[in-house]
């Protein structure tokens, strides 16, 4: 039952992000929105800003840590660059509190639907793809761990 609810919730998250961005007039406004989203992200404690938590493939420094509570993956992240931190916050808000199957089954289609890829530099676009890949790797690891426990 919770899987069905989660899938619906993540689609609602996707739709909400699309509506938020479509309500903004231009990409200048959208960049401001991305930066504001990043400013709302709780900073990671220094103890988590270590080499092992860096997302490979990002030009800026991006740290990603996870917890697993009640069958859901909780992502926390931070970055040293304003726009990157905003992109990180979007992804953390999107995938956090979802079960591994939902994370693995759901692509962040909102990225294409709002035209974000055309407005990111190739290095930011690659970094975003690396972050999504890392989040899915964590989800796979938690799924495997759950399977071993059953």
């Amino acid at each position: 039952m919770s899987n069905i609810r989660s899938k619906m919730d993540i689609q609602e998250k996707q739709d909400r992000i699309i509506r938020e961005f479509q309500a903004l007039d231009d990409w200048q406004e959208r960049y401001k929105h991305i930066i504001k989203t990043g400013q709302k992200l709780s900073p990671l404690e220094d103890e988590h800003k270590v080499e092992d938590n860096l997302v490979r493939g990002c030009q800026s420094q991006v740290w990603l840590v996870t917890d697993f509570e009640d069958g859901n993956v909780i992502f926390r992240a931070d970055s040293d660059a304003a726009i990157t931190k905003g992109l990180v916050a979007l992804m953390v808000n999107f995938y956090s509190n979802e079960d591994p199957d939902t994370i693995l089954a759901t692509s962040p289609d909102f990225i294409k639907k709002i035209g974000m890829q055309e407005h990111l530099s190739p290095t930011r676009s690659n970094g975003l793809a690396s972050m999504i890949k890392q989040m899915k790797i964590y989800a796979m690891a938690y799924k495997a761990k759950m399977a071993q426990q059953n």
Side-chain angles (χ1 to χ4, degrees):
M1 184 70 166
S2 69
N3 268 355
I4 293 168
R5 191 184 65 72
S6 281
K7 283 186 182 22
M8 193 170 74
D9 284 350
I10 202 161
Q11 189 55 53
E12 288 171 2
K13 288 180 191 179
Q14 193 121 234
D15 294 342
R16 188 191 74 236
I17 293 167
I18 292 166
R19 278 193 311 274
E20 282 176 11
F21 277 85
Q22 286 175 340
L24 301 168
D25 292 335
D26 57 29
W27 269 94
Q28 200 64 23
E29 290 298 312
R30 290 176 181 193
Y31 280 126
K32 287 179 187 173
H33 180 67
I34 290 169
I35 291 167
K36 277 186 193 170
T37 302
Q39 290 168 343
K40 294 176 192 168
L41 192 65
S42 298
L44 275 181
E45 302 82 10
D46 287 341
E47 68 207 43
H48 294 298
K49 291 182 178 180
V50 294
E51 184 81 19
D52 286 348
N53 294 334
L54 279 172
V55 176
R56 307 280 174 244
C58 291
Q59 183 180 16
S60 305
Q61 290 189 300
V62 175
W63 298 273
L64 178 67
V65 296
T66 64
D67 291 304
F68 194 64
E69 297 172 10
D70 301 323
N72 291 326
V73 184
I74 314 304
F75 291 103
R76 294 183 307 123
D78 206 344
S79 176
D80 60 355
I83 289 178
T84 304
K85 186 170 181 167
L87 295 172
V88 165
L90 273 174
M91 295 315 306
V92 165
N93 295 339
F94 182 63
Y95 279 133
S96 261
N97 297 306
E98 299 292 344
D99 62 78
D101 286 331
T102 299
I103 294 167
L104 292 169
T106 309
S107 293
D109 295 334
F110 67 87
I111 293 169
K112 284 183 186 153
K113 289 185 179 170
I114 64 175
M116 189 183 295
Q117 284 179 316
E118 294 87 49
H119 290 87
L120 293 179
S121 66
T123 52
R124 277 205 184 104
S125 208
N126 289 341
L128 183 59
S130 296
M131 172 132 190
I132 294 165
K133 180 180 175 186
Q134 187 62 48
M135 293 173 114
K136 290 196 178 246
I137 289 170
Y138 278 122
M140 266 190 270
Y142 285 121
K143 182 177 178 168
K145 192 174 183 180
M146 285 171 39
Q148 286 177 342
Q149 292 172 350
N150 292 337

